[in-house]
Amino acid sequence: GAGVSQSPSNKVTEKGKDVELRCDPISGHTALYWYRQSLGQGLEFLIYFQGNSAPDKSGLPSDRFSAERTGGSVSTLTIQRTQQEDSAVYLCASSLGSTGGEQFFGPGTRLTVL
Amino acid sequence: KNQVEQSPQSLIILEGKNCTLQCNYTVSPFSNLRWYKQDTGRGPVSLTIMTFSENTKSNGRYTATLDADTKQSSLHITASQLSDSASYICVVRASGGSYIPTFGRGTSLIVHP
């Protein structure tokens, strides 16, 4: 596709359930980022993938959060045993991989935990 | 600690008017600064990028300025349109191999007819 896509666009779940959020980056982009955006807050870094290198997981808020990137392309962010404070918009971005490169964002997944 | 502060937090203007958004940062060593526009329900989209040697850059009705000495940037919007209603986010990257940029909280702009 022409841009970064994310699915689902909206997800409503019950507290304690697991959720999976998907990101399809722009073809050829080696760098992939996950961010969380809560209402009125700036983007919060979660995890960064670059090529085949080990991901930078330093932004993950707890061990309930994990992410993987298969074949250097599609990425899945998994939140286990969701809590109400996990409610937010989860944004994925990809870039060509240079440290100064523009990040292209997907439309985000709005997660609501009841 | 690297920080990016934006002001005002929100702004309401009438269509056709100009406005200026501010961004102050403490990111060091500085590499570049981007302004992003985020429409409601969409991901951010880059408007401009400023490097250390640049102090003004325009993109249509958007003009960004950078003062690297005072670590301040501004985004000026001329002759605002209803479609300018969005959140404007200032993002600063450090040099030296850092790949995680620092995001401001954004300025929410509402343009009324």
Side-chain angles (χ1 to χ4, degrees):
Chain A
V4 178
S5 60
Q6 292 187 245
S7 61
S9 56
N10 282 283
K11 177 71 176 179
V12 180
T13 190
E14 294 179 344
K15 177 181 173 181
K17 301 287 188 182
D18 297 351
V19 296
E20 285 190 352
L21 313 180
R22 177 187 168 107
C23 172
D24 281 90
I26 293 173
S27 178
H29 280 192
T30 59
L32 186 148
Y33 300 75
W34 281 99
Y35 295 94
R36 178 167 68 177
Q37 186 175 35
S38 301
L39 190 64
Q41 302 296 314
L43 273 70
E44 175 190 6
F45 166 76
L46 296 178
I47 188 168
Y48 165 77
F49 295 90
Q50 172 58 51
N52 296 321
S53 301
D56 179 344
K57 305 179 181 180
S58 61
L60 295 178
S62 78
D63 58 8
R64 297 186 295 106
F65 289 72
S66 62
E68 62 177 19
R69 188 179 185 191
T70 54
S73 181
V74 172
S75 177
T76 302
L77 177 69
T78 301
I79 308 174
Q80 296 178 309
R81 305 180 303 281
T82 52
Q83 303 294 313
Q84 288 183 332
E85 60 262 28
D86 299 335
S87 296
V89 175
Y90 289 82
L91 289 163
C92 172
S94 70
S95 70
L96 283 172
S98 68
T99 54
E102 178 181 355
Q103 295 183 24
F104 293 83
F105 286 84
T109 293
R110 179 174 295 280
L111 174 66
T112 302
V113 182
L114 302 177
Chain B
K1 180 181 178 182
N2 290 335
Q3 289 186 313
V4 175
E5 300 288 339
Q6 292 188 243
S7 63
Q9 182 176 348
S10 61
L11 183 61
I12 300 173
I13 62 174
L14 292 176
E15 186 179 14
K17 297 296 185 182
N18 304 335
C19 66
T20 300
L21 314 180
Q22 301 290 343
C23 173
N24 296 341
Y25 62 91
T26 60
V27 177
S28 181
F30 176 82
S31 176
N32 62 61
L33 181 150
R34 287 185 187 270
W35 283 93
Y36 282 85
K37 179 187 180 188
Q38 185 175 21
D39 292 314
T40 301
R42 308 286 293 272
V45 175
S46 178
L47 293 173
T48 65
I49 178 173
M50 307 288 289
T51 57
F52 187 86
S53 59
E54 298 173 305
N55 45 33
T56 302
K57 184 173 284 187
S58 292
N59 177 4
R61 294 180 296 102
Y62 300 102
T63 299
T65 66
L66 174 67
D67 185 334
D69 292 331
T70 62
K71 299 187 177 180
Q72 295 180 326
S73 177
S74 66
L75 181 69
H76 186 74
I77 304 175
T78 304
S80 60
Q81 300 177 358
L82 299 180
S83 59
D84 292 332
S85 296
S87 179
Y88 292 83
I89 303 171
C90 178
V91 184
V92 184
R93 276 192 187 268
S95 58
S98 173
Y99 46 76
I100 303 173
T102 303
F103 289 79
R105 293 189 175 187
T107 291
S108 176
L109 174 66
I110 298 174
V111 180
H112 278 313

